[in-house]
Amino acid sequence: MIKIHPNCWSEHGELKTVMVCTPSSLDIPDQRTADYVGWEKPVNQDIAKENHEGMKKAMEDAGITVIDYSLYLKGDKAELNHQLINRVFVRDLACVYGNTVIPGDAGITMRAPEYVHSHELFQTWFDEKTFSIKENNRLKALENGDVFVLNKDAVFINTGMRTSIESIEEIQQEIFRAGFSEIGVIDLPRTGETMHLDMNCNVAGSDLLIAKSYMRLFPVQIITEKGGRYVMMEEFIRRQGFDVLWTDDVKHTVADINFLNLDPETLLVSTKANKKILKGHTKLRGKKLIEVEVNELEKGGGGIRCMTLPLERK
């Protein structure tokens, strides 16, 4: 039986344990089908699985424990789960806030079974002090591609296409109990390209955030236990100790923005990522970039960050 001691106080600490899920067994055969299910392009799942194995191997080669949650499902749940086309995007299922795991809630019913299946496993993986499925009974939508744990004080959440402000209000006290002092809430446009926060910005180490330039025009609501106020996004991010690299040089949104920090100096990135962005700031020039081929996986609309759920960081 797996027993995990959740520990994530940032997006950049050395990654020790991460959860993934092998792609679905069902292909997306043509563009019309892709449009219907909200994917960018048709997908051959055999190729997607090869991409996924390469991504897993890169993390394992870096000394990271990689857990594929689908291998722990049994019976009818396993039979259904391998047919769920979005199951590879595990980031949305939950978030580790410090030592507390707060489960998400699907923003569309098509994804609901993944949340049920993974959360049932979490009840056996984590003790009751760190995880309780009761915490999301009143949630309306909370997909954790919309969540960044910036540091030991602050988290950054988008209320948008797949995460409701009502859900943020429901979990805010739990976030404060987990040890954080403030929550920054941004409200991005509700489009496919801006579906989740991590399709628009990403933490690139201990003191730098990369973001699409349009985001500098958006205010952030800062919520604390004593009240709240509004500031512009750049002020909020800089108060947390980050510089911001604003960029318009995004050709492949998912590949360019949606990378994973393996440790403070190492990024796991798509081979399609725009290296100009990733070398476009003095704080990025010394970074080690580990490139993996995830082109077929990215056709589903998500990238490396979307397909990984950190459970333990050093």
Side-chain angles (χ1 to χ4, degrees):
M1 180 181 292
I2 293 179
K3 281 297 179 184
I4 300 170
H5 302 287
N7 188 67
C8 289
W9 294 95
S10 74
E11 299 287 334
H12 61 270
E14 182 182 349
L15 186 59
K16 304 301 291 183
T17 306
V18 67
M19 191 182 86
V20 301
C21 185
T22 301
S24 171
S25 61
L26 301 183
D27 290 341
I28 309 301
D30 50 52
Q31 188 59 50
R32 188 177 185 185
T33 303
D35 293 340
Y36 280 142
V37 300
W39 283 30
E40 293 180 1
K41 296 178 182 179
V43 170
N44 180 313
Q45 297 289 20
D46 286 338
I47 299 174
K49 288 175 183 176
E50 291 176 5
N51 284 184
H52 198 258
E53 284 301 314
M55 183 183 74
K56 286 172 56 181
K57 184 177 185 303
M59 292 188 288
E60 290 170 342
D61 287 348
I64 299 162
T65 299
V66 181
I67 299 170
D68 184 338
Y69 89 82
S70 68
L71 300 178
Y72 297 86
L73 298 173
K74 307 296 182 184
D76 292 345
K77 294 184 181 67
E79 177 62 25
L80 172 60
N81 194 270
H82 81 77
Q83 300 176 77
L84 302 175
I85 62 169
N86 292 303
R87 73 175 192 164
V88 69
F89 301 125
V90 297
R91 175 72 62 155
D92 300 323
L93 303 177
C95 182
V96 179
Y97 296 83
N99 303 124
T100 300
V101 183
I102 299 181
D105 185 67
I108 55 172
T109 55
M110 185 179 187
R111 298 206 60 188
E114 307 160 45
Y115 288 72
V116 174
H117 294 164
S118 61
H119 294 169
E120 287 177 349
L121 289 175
F122 291 169
Q123 288 181 288
T124 67
W125 292 359
F126 305 109
D127 64 40
E128 292 182 0
K129 293 181 180 179
T130 59
F131 176 82
S132 173
I133 195 61
K134 294 178 182 178
E135 296 298 335
N136 78 339
N137 285 346
R138 294 185 299 276
L139 300 188
K140 298 182 183 298
L142 175 62
E143 296 193 353
N144 288 282
D146 278 323
V147 179
F148 283 89
V149 176
L150 296 178
N151 52 41
K152 290 188 174 183
D153 295 317
V155 300
F156 190 27
I157 307 179
N158 172 49
T159 172
M161 193 171 182
R162 295 288 183 86
T163 295
S164 70
I165 188 62
E166 292 86 356
S167 292
I168 296 172
E169 291 169 349
E170 285 289 344
I171 67 169
Q172 67 185 45
Q173 291 303 320
E174 187 68 16
I175 293 173
F176 294 143
R177 282 193 290 271
F180 298 87
S181 59
E182 63 181 53
I183 303 165
V185 179
I186 195 168
D187 187 353
L188 296 182
R190 288 155 174 78
T191 71
E193 188 177 345
T194 57
M195 181 183 298
H196 289 139
L197 185 58
D198 64 9
M199 297 171 71
N200 296 266
C201 68
N202 205 347
V203 171
S206 61
D207 53 4
L208 184 67
L209 183 126
I210 301 174
K212 294 181 183 178
S213 294
Y214 84 90
M215 293 180 69
R216 71 193 314 160
L217 302 176
F218 280 71
V220 169
Q221 182 184 13
I222 297 177
I223 301 171
T224 70
E225 291 186 275
K226 296 181 180 180
R229 62 190 180 94
Y230 286 91
V231 299
M232 297 306 288
M233 175 181 157
E234 185 163 15
E235 180 182 340
F236 171 69
I237 294 298
R238 287 189 178 279
R239 285 181 58 250
Q240 308 310 322
F242 294 86
D243 286 341
V244 184
L245 172 57
W246 302 107
T247 182
D248 291 313
D249 199 10
V250 178
K251 297 178 181 178
H252 308 288
T253 297
V254 169
D256 296 337
I257 295 288
N258 206 265
F259 51 80
L260 178 70
N261 290 263
L262 299 188
D263 60 50
E265 303 303 328
T266 309
L267 302 178
L268 186 66
V269 305
S270 167
T271 54
K272 287 172 60 179
N274 186 345
K275 306 306 183 298
K276 181 179 177 181
I277 297 175
L278 296 175
K279 296 294 184 180
H281 192 285
T282 55
K283 293 182 178 180
L284 285 170
R285 290 171 192 160
K287 295 284 185 182
K288 179 181 179 182
L289 303 182
I290 298 177
E291 297 184 52
V292 288
E293 173 74 54
V294 288
N295 291 357
E296 199 71 13
L297 292 162
E298 289 169 340
K299 293 176 182 178
I304 293 172
R305 187 180 192 272
C306 298
M307 295 180 285
T308 51
L309 173 54
L311 299 177
E312 295 178 286
R313 288 188 182 272
K314 187 173 179 179

